[in-house]
Amino acid sequence: MKVDQPGSYLTLKEYEASKERFADSDVVLFFNANWCSTCKIARDNIESNLDSIPSKLAIVVVDFDSETDLRKKYGVTIQHTFVQIDSDGNQIAKWAGSTTAEEIAENTV
């Protein structure tokens, strides 16, 4: 295993299928919508710079429109919201506005 391997960028379905892989990572749910212009900026920045995701960071893409139960659970009222969770799914931190993996990492607790 490489020491400096990049972190993860995955869908909610992929995360839920292998949560144990991320037990030692900072897991951040990225609530976004494909019609949201600021979400698109963030997605494009992250997807074009996957190697910039810190090795202990997992960014989990969550569809704002379809994941209403998760939105309610974490009190997410606007798209382009990030929620850091622990391995049990408890909220650690919540913020909006990050557009790069570096900014997401800076906001983790």
Side-chain angles (χ1 to χ4, degrees):
M1 183 161 125
K2 294 189 329 185
V3 175
D4 293 327
Q5 76 183 49
S8 302
Y9 182 72
L10 63 163
T11 66
L12 179 62
K13 186 176 182 177
E14 291 168 329
Y15 171 72
E16 289 178 339
S18 59
K19 284 183 185 179
E20 65 282 348
R21 278 186 46 214
F22 305 98
D24 294 332
S25 297
D26 290 325
V27 176
V28 176
L29 305 178
F30 171 22
F31 287 86
N32 76 100
N34 58 11
W35 48 264
C36 166
S37 60
T38 56
C39 298
K40 181 176 177 2
I41 291 168
R43 280 193 317 272
D44 288 349
N45 283 340
I46 295 165
E47 291 170 7
S48 64
N49 296 291
L50 292 175
D51 288 345
S52 71
I53 301 172
S55 62
K56 292 292 185 181
L57 177 62
I59 302 170
V60 180
V61 180
V62 178
D63 183 72
F64 180 85
D65 294 321
S66 65
E67 295 296 336
T68 54
D69 289 343
L70 274 184
R71 283 192 1 232
K72 289 177 188 170
K73 177 177 182 176
Y74 298 115
V76 173
T77 57
I78 60 169
Q79 67 281 352
H80 200 180
T81 297
F82 299 88
V83 179
Q84 182 182 0
I85 59 171
D86 65 17
S87 58
D88 294 321
N90 299 311
Q91 180 177 312
I92 298 171
K94 181 169 62 174
W95 69 94
S98 298
T99 59
T100 65
E102 293 88 355
E103 289 174 358
I104 293 168
E106 288 171 4
N107 281 290
T108 59
V109 177

